[in-house]
Amino acid sequence: MSDTSIYNQSLDQNPANFAQLTPLSFLERAASVYPNHPSIIHGNIGFNWSQTYQRCCRLASGLASMGIGEGDTVSFMGANTPETFEAHFGVPMIGAVLNALNVRLDAKAIAFILQHAETKVLFTDREYSDTIKAALEMLPDRPVVIDIDDSLYDGGELLGEHNYEDVLAMGNANFRCFQISDEWSAISLNYTSGTTGDPKGVVFHHRGAYLAAVSNILSWDMTSHPVYLWTLPMFHCNGWCWPWSLAAVNGTNVCLRHVRDQAIFDAIKQHGVTHFCGAPVVLNTLINAPDVMKQDIHQKVRVMTAGAAPPAAVIAGMENMGFSVTHVYGLTETYGPCVVCAPQAEWEALSVNERAEMLARQGVRGPLQDEMMVADPETMKPVPQDGKTMGEIFMRGNMTMKGYLKNPKTTEDSFAGGWFHSGDLAVWHEDGYAQIKDRSKDIIISGGENISSLEVESILFKHPKILEAAVVASSDEKWGEVPCAFVSLKAGENMGTDELIAYCRQEMAGFKIPKKIVFGPINKTSTGKVQKYLLRKKAEQVELA
């Protein structure tokens, strides 16, 4: 439309018809419309939405009184507690950028992040004092350190001159902010795990956070006042943007400091939990928990899972327990979930196992994800929707990061061709649903045949004795590469190599059968993802089965 169009004449943006998108507005509305509705439960501590809004405003103004402002990085080494939740609003209220640290990283990685992010203030929970103390000793310039002194945790030490409540006491009770001047400005900084090098800092903007939060709600058909259990770490892609989503739907946040099967089932029953998110490893833990823990759950519980592609057997296991599973897919660079395996009505007629096979696919673009395709990474042309032709998953739209902090080359490469390159290899089915077959570096090429490690893992997971399985490539003089399977058995079970190979012969083509097998614990990252780069190194030392 040209500037001379009749629709552009004297019809300009103004405060009455345009506002910058920011999830901060969700909190202000929750406090004004449902001030007395429970917002956060943490043990015997509870807040309503009016109190949570006031605490976030005090955090913001308290930080401002310390000289923190627009573009400054505020890092949080926090557990799933009210403080970390409040940081998602209080920090960006003054234009600062929230950097939620992965609490499972080592001191060296934390020190790198704090220095790379140019952190001005570091809030740290006592539980992680050993790691933070060591990290601070590695820094040439120490940020201001503020302790999170959680009464529900015994142990650790206090490292700062003040604690979190001191900062709130410094704040102005009348401070208010739920609007910003530029929706493209940074709201948070999240670092990738850095398994093959230094972590990369992924920058989120207010607009993307707003839209991702709303897309979450639509993906789950979520209505007002859900009761959400925090099993997913709030540091992971800002808890997949759920802190902002839950303010939008005026939900109740049930905090869970440590993810344990007993604690999860107790919380579900005690607080009437309706929703929670978790990686497949968490779901597997619940499936294999003692039956006595699973009794007396009367409400419908909805589960959202992502991370490593969940085997159909895990989804079926949760469905058999009466939990409704939604499978989503995304990356840190896409604000967490941007693709959802949206269920179709006809799937209800399928058996649980058949439906689980459908739900194990990654799916279609989420409600507010602009575009997604499976395409040839060289030509950027979409692959046929035949369920066979492999391509890479690409996305573009408002729910894609601003870029990598201080890393223009990697940012440029990741956006080559006007699409974000996920690095995940998938097929596109006739119904438009994508299904990941592997990371580009995880495909096993054996004798010229491509083997999907995820496909082999999914079959192994179906064996009743197997708790977890991971498959990687191992070099071989004859075949180039062969599959090596790492297998963890359920408690009390026994299995030998011969039994496992006999099972595989019945379930998969001969060239896909693992030629090396290792029984025992499986290396995982701090967010529960299998550390395949470590398994590849181990596989090179394993003899052929």
Side-chain angles (χ1 to χ4, degrees):
M1 187 181 295
S2 69
D3 291 338
T4 58
S5 165
I6 60 172
Y7 296 103
N8 287 333
Q9 295 174 14
S10 302
L11 300 177
D12 299 323
Q13 290 180 2
N14 63 73
N17 66 18
F18 179 81
Q20 306 285 336
L21 298 183
T22 174
L24 300 180
S25 62
F26 301 147
L27 177 62
E28 190 277 335
R29 181 183 182 274
S32 62
V33 178
Y34 298 103
N36 299 316
H37 190 80
S39 57
I40 300 178
I41 297 171
H42 180 46
N44 58 358
I45 300 168
F47 298 108
N48 61 35
W49 279 109
S50 176
Q51 292 168 324
T52 293
Y53 181 44
Q54 185 179 71
R55 285 173 61 83
C56 292
C57 289
R58 283 185 173 275
L59 172 60
S61 56
L63 286 168
S65 72
M66 296 167 57
I68 302 303
E70 188 170 348
D72 289 334
T73 304
V74 178
S75 296
F76 263 73
M77 187 78 163
N80 282 356
T81 64
E83 293 85 355
T84 311
F85 182 87
E86 291 161 4
H88 282 78
F89 298 91
V91 172
M93 276 181 176
I94 54 172
V97 180
L98 173 63
N99 168 223
L101 293 163
N102 182 336
V103 300
R104 298 163 188 159
L105 293 178
D106 59 27
K108 183 179 179 181
I110 294 293
F112 170 85
I113 291 171
L114 293 175
Q115 187 168 2
H116 187 262
E118 300 179 25
T119 296
K120 296 291 182 63
V121 177
L122 168 63
F123 289 83
T124 179
D125 192 289
R126 283 191 296 122
E127 181 173 356
Y128 317 116
S129 57
D130 286 348
T131 301
I132 291 297
K133 189 174 183 179
L136 291 173
E137 291 174 354
M138 301 178 192
L139 296 177
D141 298 307
R142 174 184 169 122
V144 176
V145 178
I146 307 292
D147 290 303
I148 300 173
D149 192 5
D150 183 5
S151 61
L152 299 187
Y153 181 77
D154 263 337
E157 64 177 300
L158 301 178
L159 303 175
E161 297 179 4
H162 301 285
N163 64 34
Y164 184 88
E165 296 299 325
D166 293 336
V167 176
L168 266 58
M170 294 162 53
N172 181 350
N174 296 317
F175 177 88
R176 292 291 181 268
C177 174
F178 59 92
Q179 294 176 324
I180 57 171
S181 59
D182 183 6
E183 63 187 16
W184 181 246
S185 62
I187 188 171
S188 65
L189 172 66
N190 294 288
Y191 281 81
T192 59
S193 56
T195 54
T196 57
D198 287 331
K200 296 191 294 289
V202 175
V203 182
F204 289 0
H205 49 74
H206 282 254
R207 178 182 179 85
Y210 179 102
L211 295 170
V214 174
S215 197
N216 277 343
I217 296 164
L218 297 174
S219 293
W220 227 349
D221 293 331
M222 184 180 270
T223 54
S224 293
H225 310 311
V227 180
Y228 180 91
L229 178 64
W230 276 103
T231 54
L232 176 74
M234 290 189 202
F235 66 70
H236 189 38
C237 303
N238 295 116
W240 297 354
C241 296
W242 278 106
W244 299 312
S245 299
L246 289 159
V249 290
N250 323 115
T252 300
N253 296 269
V254 179
C255 294
L256 190 63
R257 190 177 188 97
H258 298 124
V259 180
R260 306 284 188 270
D261 50 8
Q262 184 73 65
I264 291 173
F265 284 116
D266 286 350
I268 289 172
K269 288 178 269 192
Q270 181 181 353
H271 301 294
V273 168
T274 58
H275 296 76
F276 72 90
C277 298
V281 65
V282 174
L283 307 192
N284 211 25
T285 298
L286 300 182
I287 292 168
N288 290 285
D291 288 339
V292 67
M293 290 186 189
K294 306 173 185 178
Q295 297 173 1
D296 302 319
I297 297 176
H298 305 296
Q299 75 275 21
K300 186 68 174 179
V301 182
R302 299 180 183 275
V303 183
M304 183 174 281
T305 189
V314 173
I315 294 176
M318 292 300 291
E319 296 266 338
N320 285 328
M321 286 166 51
F323 290 55
S324 174
V325 179
T326 297
H327 179 200
V328 294
Y329 160 76
L331 304 93
T332 304
E333 292 86 344
T334 62
Y335 295 76
C338 67
V339 172
V340 58
C341 192
Q344 299 289 339
E346 55 267 28
W347 296 358
E348 288 300 316
L350 301 174
S351 68
V352 170
N353 288 339
E354 289 172 329
R355 187 165 62 251
E357 290 288 350
M358 303 297 283
L359 290 171
R361 302 181 299 173
Q362 278 56 49
V364 294
R365 68 185 187 274
L368 299 185
Q369 175 62 38
D370 294 84
E371 294 183 78
M372 180 203 78
M373 69 173 179
V374 181
D376 185 303
E378 297 298 326
T379 66
M380 299 293 288
K381 292 183 178 179
V383 301
Q385 294 187 4
D386 57 10
K388 298 177 182 178
T389 307
M390 198 94 74
E392 184 178 351
I393 296 181
F394 295 89
M395 307 88 151
R396 66 180 174 191
N398 293 298
M399 289 162 50
T400 304
M401 64 172 180
K402 290 186 72 167
Y404 297 111
L405 184 68
K406 302 177 184 176
N407 201 336
K409 179 64 169 64
T410 305
T411 299
E412 182 181 352
D413 290 346
S414 71
F415 292 150
W419 291 82
F420 172 69
H421 297 236
S422 73
D424 287 318
L425 300 181
V427 296
W428 222 351
H429 289 279
E430 186 178 356
D431 58 5
Y433 284 62
Q435 183 174 11
I436 289 178
K437 291 300 182 180
D438 243 317
R439 290 290 293 174
S440 57
K441 60 179 178 289
D442 291 337
I443 281 286
I444 303 166
I445 304 174
S446 184
E449 297 281 358
N450 285 357
I451 302 172
S452 164
S453 64
L454 293 185
E455 178 187 350
V456 179
E457 288 167 3
S458 183
I459 293 172
L460 293 176
F461 258 99
K462 292 178 182 179
H463 194 288
K465 292 184 180 181
I466 293 176
L467 177 67
E468 295 177 313
V471 177
V472 298
S474 179
S475 56
D476 182 80
E477 288 187 10
K478 180 178 181 180
W479 301 107
E481 292 179 338
V482 294
C484 176
F486 292 81
V487 177
S488 174
L489 300 177
K490 295 178 181 178
E493 297 289 357
N494 291 296
M495 175 186 277
T497 298
D498 291 343
E499 182 181 352
L500 182 60
I501 291 177
Y503 166 73
C504 290
R505 284 201 181 105
Q506 296 177 339
E507 301 293 331
M508 66 184 77
F511 71 92
K512 298 180 181 179
I513 296 173
K515 304 302 186 291
K516 296 182 177 183
I517 297 170
V518 180
F519 292 97
I522 298 173
N523 298 89
K524 297 188 181 69
T525 69
S526 55
T527 55
K529 296 178 183 177
V530 173
Q531 290 180 303
K532 288 199 169 181
Y533 77 104
L534 288 180
L535 298 185
R536 289 189 201 99
K537 292 180 181 179
K538 290 185 177 181
E540 296 302 314
Q541 310 302 319
V542 179
E543 298 292 330
L544 291 172

